[in-house]
């Protein structure tokens, strides 16, 4: 909606009209007293702005994240003051560390009550400051258009992130002369560094001298909409490419230069060979501790090229010998012109040789099991069979997450949605709702453990009410599996508070009028997956898997990537 003419409206209506100006057509939220004026205006604009009532405010933030991750747009979540606002914080923190663009709007008590410990008053600005890219409290209606425009600009520009706007109740009622101008810049904020051609040339020179180069790419490739430029760079250079879990799907899984995942439960070759490459090219990733293991022993032999949009990430964890600051879409375009193609046959063969070892030691046991119990890996392989790699997989946090990332196949970008940096159990179910709404023409499957599922299980109500055709796969081992694995390996099998006594998940799903099935035997699995994928409605599938299976390979905490364990 374009409106450059001045008109006198309430602050609440100004919020709604500002959202429309920013192209927002979908909000996730939960109403309450302090934000009721905005909800009243939202009711009047329901033809042009849809609101999804989640069953918990945390669900609203995760749904907004899922929407942002598959649509590429800014997700929007809304809540009232006090507990409504604080319930948003986990999702905001998740979005901050995973660079997800999101704007959260919270109601607040009237401005004259601020600081008085009024009913449902909480200092959400103070609470959210460490986990937002920017936040602001509005106490005057006249501030709303400018602050809303600034919020969306900051959330989506440069390295994206969450923004929180807190609006007092009197500001929502107050009248203002409304005009709206989109924000095009903020003083002292440079979201995209100017690309230094000399940095690109220096990076190209060291890459061209390399005999054993290796690429690690992260989510920055996806956030920068640089998938085509990245693919061209990989193919032009001929360099083996590996990924972090948030970078997964930027390059098709079966691309001949895609050699797998780095990190704690990544592939054997990419981890071991990190400490043998001579040039390490990091693209849109931040050298998280789950990727690097012990920093004292990480890639010390290699020259490091780091292509990154955020100056704060350069040499933060791993020293960059050749930093290239800028949007990777532009950086890769310039770099590709300068790099020379090489075959690297002997070097690539080492990745292949390590994969052969991993297949024998780990992958066959995960995906071609001979044991009586079902494995998580064979469930993911079964899903691949019917989705052909074209689905969005939304995973929660734990063993199933690592298995999903290891074995799910993808043919297009924005297909892997998971909680990376914060590791938020309960993420997947509400995030899958948003992911489906952000990509309504794609199949969306939530892969969840029995522990994380119960943290946000109430969002089945959101699925039912909105008839969101999400497919839910719960891999049930009756344990908090990842914690139990650590207890087995490092705490002498003292399974303290990790065994779960679970409810009848199928009955619960059916209580929400969602078709549901439980699989306990291998011969039931294929048909169950086929039935689930064929459905055009929400569907719940519980698969009872081995109770004490572990995820390997694994780099123990504090160990070198070279010390990755296969069993």
């Amino acid at each position: 909606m374009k409106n450059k003419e001045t008109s006198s409206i309430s602050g609440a209506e100004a919020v709604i009209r500002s959202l429309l100006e920013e192209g927002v057509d979908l909000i996730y939220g939960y109403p309450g007293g302090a934000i009721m004026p905005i909800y009243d205006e939202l009711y009047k604009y329901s033809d042009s702005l849809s609101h999804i009532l989640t069953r918990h405010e945390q669900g609203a933030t995760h749904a907004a994240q899922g929407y942002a991750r598959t649509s590429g747009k800014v997700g929007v979540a809304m809540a009232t003051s006090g507990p409504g606002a604080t319930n948003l914080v986990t999702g905001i923190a998740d979005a901050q560390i995973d660079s997800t663009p999101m704007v959260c709007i919270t109601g607040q008590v009237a401005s004259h009550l601020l600081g008085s410990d009024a009913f449902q008053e909480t200092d959400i600005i103070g609470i959210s400051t460490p986990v937002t890219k920017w936040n602001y409290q509005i106490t005057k209606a006249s501030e709303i258009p400018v602050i809303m425009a600034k919020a969306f600009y900051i959330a989506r520009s440069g390295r994206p992130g969450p923004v929180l706007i807190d609006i007092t109740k009197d500001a929502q009622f107050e009248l203002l002369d409304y005009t709206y101008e989109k924000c095009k810049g903020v003083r002292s904020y440079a979201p995209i560094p100017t690309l230094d051609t000399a940095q690109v040339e220096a990076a190209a020179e060291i890459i061209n001298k390399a005999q054993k180069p290796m690429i690690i790419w992260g989510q920055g490739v996806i956030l920068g909409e640089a998938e085509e430029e990245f693919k061209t760079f990989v193919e032009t250079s001929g360099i083996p490419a590996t990924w972090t879990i948030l970078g997964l799907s930027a390059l098709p899984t079966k691309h001949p230069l895609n050699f797998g995942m780095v990190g704690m439960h990544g592939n054997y070759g990419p981890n071991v060979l990190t400490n043998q490459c001579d040039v390490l090219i990091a693209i849109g990733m931040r050298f998280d501790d789950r990727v690097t293991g012990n920093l004292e022993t990480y890639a010390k032999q290699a020259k490091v090229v780091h292509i990154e949009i955020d100056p704060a990430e350069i040499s933060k964890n791993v020293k960059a010998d050749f930093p290239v600051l800028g949007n990777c879409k532009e950086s890769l375009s310039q770099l590709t012109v300068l790099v020379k193609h090489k075959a690297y046959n002997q070097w690539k063969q080492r990745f292949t040789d390590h994969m052969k070892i991993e297949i024998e030691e780990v992958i066959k046991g995960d995906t071609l099991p001979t044991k009586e119990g079902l494995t998580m890996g064979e469930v993911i392989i079964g899903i691949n069979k019917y989705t052909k790699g074209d689905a969005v997989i939304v995973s929660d946090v734990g063993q199933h997450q690592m298995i999903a990332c290891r074995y799910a196949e993808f043919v297009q970008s924005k297909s892997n949605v998971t909680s990376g940096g914060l590791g938020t159990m309960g993420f997947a179910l509400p995030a899958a709702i948003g992911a489906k709404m952000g990509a309504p023409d794609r199949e969306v499957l939530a892969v969840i453990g029995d522990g994380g599922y119960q943290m946000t299980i109430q969002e089945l109500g959101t699925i039912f009410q909105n008839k969101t055709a999400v497919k839910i796969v719960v891999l049930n081992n009756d344990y908090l599996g990842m914690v139990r694995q650590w207890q087995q390996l490092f705490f002498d099998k003292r399974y303290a508070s990790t065994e779960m006594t679970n409810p009848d998940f199928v009955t619960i799903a059916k209580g929400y009028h969602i078709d549901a099935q439980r699989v306990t035997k291998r011969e039931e699995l294929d048909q169950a997956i086929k039935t689930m994928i064929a459905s055009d409605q929400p569907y719940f599938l519980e698969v009872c898997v081995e109770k004490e299976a572990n995820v390997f390979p694994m780099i123990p905490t504090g160990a070198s990537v070279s010390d990755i364990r296969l069993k």
Side-chain angles (χ1 to χ4, degrees):
M1 178 182 293
K2 292 292 181 184
N3 180 14
K4 304 305 178 188
E5 296 181 4
T6 299
S7 58
S8 186
I9 60 174
S10 70
E13 186 175 1
V15 170
I16 302 302
R17 287 172 64 169
S18 298
L19 291 170
L20 292 170
E21 290 278 3
E22 293 293 339
V24 176
D25 56 11
L26 189 61
I27 302 172
Y28 301 92
Y30 206 99
I35 202 166
M36 207 173 295
I38 292 176
Y39 269 87
D40 187 55
E41 290 298 332
L42 180 61
Y43 180 83
K44 301 173 188 177
Y45 281 82
S46 58
D47 288 344
S48 50
L49 188 55
S50 298
H51 178 270
I52 305 300
L53 175 64
T54 57
R55 297 307 186 260
H56 191 282
E57 292 88 353
Q58 181 181 342
T61 52
H62 292 327
Q65 287 178 274
Y67 176 83
R69 295 272 284 273
T70 58
S71 70
K73 300 177 182 179
V74 177
V76 180
M78 202 153 64
T80 194
S81 63
T86 58
N87 281 343
L88 298 176
V89 171
T90 296
I92 293 171
D94 195 288
Q96 172 78 339
I97 201 165
D98 282 355
S99 303
T100 304
M102 181 166 68
V103 170
C104 294
I105 300 167
T106 53
Q108 184 56 275
V109 300
S111 54
H112 72 279
L113 293 173
L114 291 172
S116 70
D117 293 331
F119 178 67
Q120 291 193 332
E121 181 197 0
T122 298
D123 179 11
I124 193 60
I125 295 298
I127 290 169
S128 66
T129 294
V131 294
T132 49
K133 190 176 177 184
W134 182 64
N135 64 13
Y136 189 88
Q137 185 176 77
I138 293 174
T139 58
K140 297 289 185 182
S142 58
E143 297 179 291
I144 288 171
V146 172
I147 296 302
M148 290 291 288
K150 187 175 178 181
F152 277 87
Y153 175 75
I154 292 174
R156 66 164 67 99
S157 60
R159 179 180 180 176
V163 170
L164 183 138
I165 303 302
D166 191 44
I167 310 175
T168 60
K169 195 167 185 178
D170 53 322
Q172 296 172 48
F173 281 120
E174 189 180 9
L175 298 180
L176 74 153
D177 291 333
Y178 178 82
T179 59
Y180 197 84
E181 293 287 344
K182 285 194 175 184
C183 182
K184 298 179 180 177
V186 176
R187 188 176 63 181
S188 77
Y189 170 55
I192 302 177
T194 301
L195 186 61
D196 186 340
T197 302
Q199 289 183 337
V200 178
E201 292 172 349
E205 184 177 356
I206 194 66
I207 290 170
N208 287 333
K209 291 178 180 178
Q211 299 301 310
K212 298 183 293 181
M214 173 177 162
I215 294 167
I216 302 178
W217 87 84
Q219 190 186 201
V221 172
I222 298 170
L223 294 173
E225 299 180 343
E227 293 92 341
E228 285 303 315
E229 289 79 5
F230 174 66
K231 182 171 179 282
T232 301
F233 171 70
V234 171
E235 293 173 347
T236 300
S237 67
I239 298 173
T242 63
W243 39 270
T244 70
I245 63 170
L246 292 183
L248 175 57
S249 84
L251 191 69
T253 308
K254 292 185 176 181
H255 190 284
L257 289 170
N258 184 340
F259 284 91
M261 179 169 70
V262 295
M264 180 171 281
H265 291 288
N267 294 107
Y268 184 48
N271 278 298
V272 171
L273 296 176
T274 296
N275 279 359
Q276 297 179 28
C277 67
D278 56 3
V279 174
L280 182 62
I281 306 158
I283 305 173
M285 55 85 72
R286 57 188 181 84
F287 290 110
D288 175 76
D289 63 295
R290 287 294 171 103
V291 166
T292 65
N294 186 348
L295 283 169
E296 296 299 318
T297 61
Y298 184 78
K300 292 301 181 181
Q301 80 295 335
K303 296 295 184 182
V304 176
V305 175
H306 195 173
I307 299 172
E308 174 61 43
I309 198 170
D310 186 352
E313 295 296 345
I314 298 293
S315 297
K316 184 178 80 174
N317 295 324
V318 173
K319 182 181 181 298
D321 300 289
F322 298 90
V324 180
L325 268 174
N327 186 314
C328 63
K329 190 177 184 75
E330 182 183 3
S331 303
L332 288 170
S333 294
Q334 291 198 19
L335 188 60
T336 300
V337 175
L338 300 174
V339 297
K340 299 173 183 177
H341 179 81
K342 294 182 185 179
Y344 302 110
N345 289 328
Q346 291 183 339
W347 175 233
K348 288 188 291 189
Q349 186 60 44
R350 293 171 71 174
F351 284 87
T352 302
D353 291 343
H354 280 81
M355 179 54 77
K356 289 177 180 177
I357 295 171
E358 185 177 341
I359 288 171
E360 291 299 320
E361 296 289 331
V362 177
I363 294 174
K364 283 186 176 180
D366 281 349
T367 61
L368 298 171
T370 57
K371 299 177 184 177
E372 183 177 338
L374 284 158
T375 68
M376 295 184 185
E378 65 185 305
V379 178
I380 303 302
I381 296 299
I383 288 170
N384 290 338
K385 175 182 175 181
Y386 290 103
T387 64
K388 308 298 183 185
D390 201 37
V392 175
I393 304 291
V394 184
S395 56
D396 210 76
V397 172
Q399 288 181 316
H400 67 279
Q401 177 190 34
M402 295 297 102
I403 292 292
C405 288
R406 284 176 55 79
Y407 297 118
E409 295 178 358
F410 299 111
V411 297
Q412 63 174 299
S413 187
K414 295 186 177 71
S415 296
N416 175 56
V417 178
T418 194
S419 173
L422 196 64
T424 305
M425 291 178 68
F427 171 88
L429 187 61
I433 297 170
K436 180 64 177 177
M437 293 178 178
D441 296 330
R442 299 189 65 190
E443 191 76 70
V444 175
L445 292 93
V447 178
I448 318 176
D450 48 308
Y453 181 56
Q454 293 178 83
M455 287 192 171
T456 50
I457 195 171
Q458 70 277 356
E459 299 308 332
L460 291 174
T462 309
I463 291 171
F464 166 54
Q465 181 169 342
N466 294 280
K467 297 179 174 58
T468 310
V470 170
K471 311 300 171 60
I472 306 155
V473 181
V474 168
L475 302 179
N476 183 4
N477 58 10
D478 294 315
Y479 271 107
L480 299 176
M482 187 63 84
V483 182
R484 185 215 55 77
Q485 176 170 334
W486 282 51
Q487 289 172 334
Q488 176 185 336
L489 298 176
F490 307 116
F491 293 88
D492 298 325
K493 296 186 178 181
R494 293 187 294 274
Y495 296 160
S497 302
T498 47
E499 188 166 11
M500 306 278 287
T501 300
N502 287 318
D504 185 336
F505 291 128
V506 169
T507 297
I508 291 171
K510 288 183 176 179
Y512 284 98
H513 303 280
I514 295 172
D515 289 340
Q517 183 178 355
R518 177 184 294 112
V519 169
T520 59
K521 298 177 181 178
R522 180 162 291 118
E523 54 268 26
E524 302 169 336
L525 181 62
D526 183 78
Q527 184 59 49
I529 294 173
K530 182 178 181 180
T531 300
M532 174 182 67
I533 298 298
S535 173
D536 61 357
Q537 300 296 317
Y539 199 96
F540 174 84
L541 177 63
E542 176 188 3
V543 183
C544 299
V545 297
E546 290 183 27
K547 290 190 67 171
E548 296 189 40
N550 291 328
V551 181
F552 287 103
M554 179 181 183
I555 303 169
T557 300
S560 168
V561 291
S562 301
D563 297 328
I564 187 168
R565 295 172 53 170
L566 291 171
K567 57 185 178 181

